[in-house]
Amino acid sequence: MALILALQFDRTSFDRLDGARRRYFPAERNFIPAHLTLFHHLPAERHDAIVDDVATRCRSQGPFPIRFSGLRFMGRGTAYVVESDQLMKLRADLSALWSADLNRQDSQGFRPHVTIQNKVVPEAARALYDELTRNFESFDATASGLLLWRYRGGPWDAAGEFGFTA
């Protein structure tokens, strides 16, 4: 089992993102809500320490703006691209704190996005990307906290919700 840390969005933005995911993601593979993953594989045996670190950071972090600035074609899917200097700093701070615990994927560069379609044939992915690109307009959202999840090889189990309270 591993832990996953994701960004939490304001309710209106989450509803918009999750609605797009429910619409475009193959239903038989869509086990989790729309999310922006900060870390894919934190060690479950460090659960208590990770919860303490996340709770401490969230108490000193206020909500902040993020911008959905474009679309990313992923070969077999499409994602919204996210821009935010504050998000990048938050991710870098946590990465430095947990550097000894990060796997290769989480140690690599961070390109924030929210996947709304994945695991489809390339032609379907390209068609959706092209369709959405024609009418895409950037939109803003608010990062409101962090969500901790347990990954056990399938759907994720909620393991904690930490609002930004500073």
Side-chain angles (χ1 to χ4, degrees):
M1 181 179 70
L3 299 173
I4 299 166
L5 189 66
L7 189 68
Q8 184 177 41
F9 308 107
D10 65 275
R11 188 79 215 163
T12 300
S13 299
F14 170 77
D15 288 346
R16 177 179 182 170
L17 296 165
D18 199 52
R21 185 176 171 96
R22 283 192 317 271
R23 181 173 179 192
Y24 301 122
F25 209 98
E28 68 279 3
R29 294 175 176 252
N30 191 15
F31 302 119
I32 55 178
H35 58 281
L36 188 160
T37 304
L38 297 172
F39 295 94
H40 297 84
H41 195 276
L42 297 170
E45 61 273 9
R46 293 207 358 93
H47 175 272
D48 292 345
I50 289 168
V51 165
D52 287 345
D53 292 342
V54 169
T56 298
R57 179 56 192 252
C58 287
R59 283 192 298 272
S60 66
Q61 174 72 58
F64 58 88
I66 58 175
R67 173 161 283 249
F68 290 88
S69 60
L71 295 162
R72 179 176 301 143
F73 178 67
M74 301 174 13
R76 292 187 168 272
T78 300
Y80 289 123
V81 174
V82 177
E83 293 181 2
S84 168
D85 291 341
Q86 288 175 285
L87 174 61
M88 298 306 283
K89 180 174 180 356
L90 171 66
R91 187 5 173 103
D93 290 350
L94 292 173
S95 183
L97 184 65
W98 298 328
S99 62
D101 295 314
L102 300 182
N103 69 5
R104 182 177 169 186
Q105 181 180 20
D106 287 334
S107 296
Q108 295 176 350
F110 177 56
R111 295 177 30 183
H113 63 279
V114 174
T115 303
I116 59 167
Q117 179 197 53
N118 203 6
K119 304 177 193 288
V120 299
V121 297
E123 298 79 16
R126 175 57 73 182
L128 178 64
Y129 175 80
D130 290 345
E131 174 189 335
L132 294 178
T133 298
R134 280 192 292 279
N135 298 313
F136 183 81
E137 293 183 17
S138 296
F139 61 98
D140 295 323
T142 300
S144 59
L146 298 175
L147 300 169
L148 190 64
W149 300 87
R150 286 182 203 91
Y151 179 70
R152 300 177 188 195
W156 300 0
D157 295 326
E161 183 174 331
F162 307 85
F164 296 145
T165 58

